[in-house]
Amino acid sequence: MRLICGPMATISHPAFRILLEQFGGCDEYFTEMINAGTLLTGGQFESYYINPAPVPQKIVWQLTGHDAEHMVEAARRLCELPGIGLDLNMGCSAPDIYKYGAGIAWMLKDIEETRQMVRDVRAVVPQGKRLSVKLRLGDDNFTDDGFFSFTDMLAGEGVELLTLHPRTKKEKLVRSPRYAYCQQLAERYKGRVSIYLNGNVKDKASFENAVAACPDVAGVMISRAAVQKPWIFRELVGEAALREPHGPQEIDMLQLALDYIKNIQLYQPPEFWKTRLQRFFTYYAQNFKFSHYAQTQFINAHDIPDLESRLNDFFEKCPEERFQSIIDF
């Protein structure tokens, strides 16, 4: 069973991967969405999006866009970079993404239009690189026949991996994911297309529940829970199973935060520092008993010196929160 860190806007960058690798890491890291058009026009920040540090061999480049020609040329360029392969995002349901014609919009367009885009992208993905698609169930009025016809099309066009977040376009995280569809895909394409499950895995119990529901999936993707607990992959597999340096048993949460801030400064442009840190510390704060207080303090920091001061102040007031233990099962 492979463990995968999912793509997250403002999170899936080198500083975050460095943090996860300190605790043993995982098998694959999907990047945040790379916009095809912006990549091709040489956007000023694109070099930051395509930095594969610190583990180039584990990177999966996730591509988004609304224009098929741009998708194909961007795919060609991304496949020249190190990494496992290319992933086409057909699952993002953020309104500004799908209204633009990207993300889940590719599931809602005429199937022949999407087929041609996938076929043309497949043609530029070289041997040795994997082509995958991350998707949802479709719109709220999806049918099983329509969903499986769509995945049959993807499999027929040479997609080697499907990552399914088994919710519809509008369904929020409060609704339980329909894991049965992940298992059905695994059975349908056994020996032809690998299936990864994505959704609601946040600890050992939920991981075991997901695997029990979908015993034939090839991997489990975790996103938000990995931001809150960067050591989650170690907790799932146990220290002895890790292939990478596994780090300490006890975590100094203050030092973890300070190191992360330094790596943000090293690997992200100054224009990104505030949003990247706010997003990370929103999840980080959930580790603490006084999580709301911690979150308010951290995300309202005016700048990095102020954030560092607030962190030190928090742990002076709440010293019992500073050290946390990893649970190795």
Side-chain angles (χ1 to χ4, degrees), residues 275-288:
T275 55
R276 266 74 178 139
L277 289 170
Q278 285 179 329
R279 183 85 186 278
F280 173 79
F281 281 101
T282 296
Y283 292 101
Y284 166 90
Q286 294 172 15
N287 289 294
F288 308 121

Side-chain angles (χ1 to χ4, degrees), residues 129-173:
K129 298 279 188 177
R130 186 184 71 195
L131 177 62
S132 60
V133 170
K134 189 172 187 294
L135 72 164
R136 288 184 174 237
L137 294 172
D139 214 337
D140 284 2
N141 62 351
F142 88 100
T143 64
D144 284 9
D145 286 346
F147 173 70
F148 289 115
S149 292
F150 187 83
T151 59
D152 285 347
M153 177 275 288
L154 296 175
E157 294 302 330
V159 173
E160 301 161 83
L161 164 72
L162 298 175
T163 301
L164 178 64
H165 182 85
R167 291 184 172 99
T168 66
K169 178 166 70 74
K170 293 183 180 179
E171 285 177 344
K172 304 302 181 183
L173 297 178

